[in-house]
Amino acid sequence: MQRLIQAPNLALATLWCDWLVQAGIAASVQRAYASSIAGEIPPDQALPEVWIEDDERLDEAQRLLDLLRRPRHVVWICPRCSERIEGPFEQCWRCGANMADR
């Protein structure tokens, strides 16, 4: 097992772990409830961590995590209503059309 990242909170650690598992990388959240003893141990030791089981897939897991943490920023024009959409969005906020429909 190899530690991939230390998360600032349990919600993000769980999200990141689930993302990796859905991509086929066996991962788990460690120290999920260590925050309850944060006053008795150093604060940085109480943060949740995401670990992967297969050390050989560490680079792949890091790339996937980077994609999640830094979504691509695109600009596109909605094919249905001609609204300009910016950011990592794949659906028009105005009419609901999908970016793939263009």
Side-chain angles (χ1 to χ4, degrees), residues 10-93:
L10 183 56
L12 281 177
T14 304
L15 176 73
W16 295 340
C17 181
D18 289 348
W19 173 266
L20 294 168
V21 170
Q22 287 180 8
I25 297 175
S28 62
V29 176
Q30 303 295 319
R31 296 189 195 166
Y33 303 105
S35 63
S36 63
I37 58 169
E40 300 174 29
I41 61 175
D44 66 327
Q45 298 299 310
L47 294 173
E49 298 176 338
V50 178
W51 286 64
I52 62 167
E53 290 183 19
D54 187 356
D55 295 351
E56 308 263 330
R57 298 188 76 184
L58 182 63
D59 291 336
E60 179 185 0
Q62 188 62 54
R63 282 192 303 273
L64 285 171
L65 186 60
D66 288 343
L67 283 174
L68 180 64
R69 295 175 68 202
R70 295 175 192 86
R72 63 189 182 118
H73 184 89
V74 296
V75 177
W76 57 282
I77 304 298
C78 177
R80 190 182 305 159
C81 70
S82 300
E83 183 68 28
R84 180 186 164 115
I85 310 295
E86 294 186 37
F89 308 108
E90 295 183 4
Q91 187 174 26
C92 177
W93 66 270

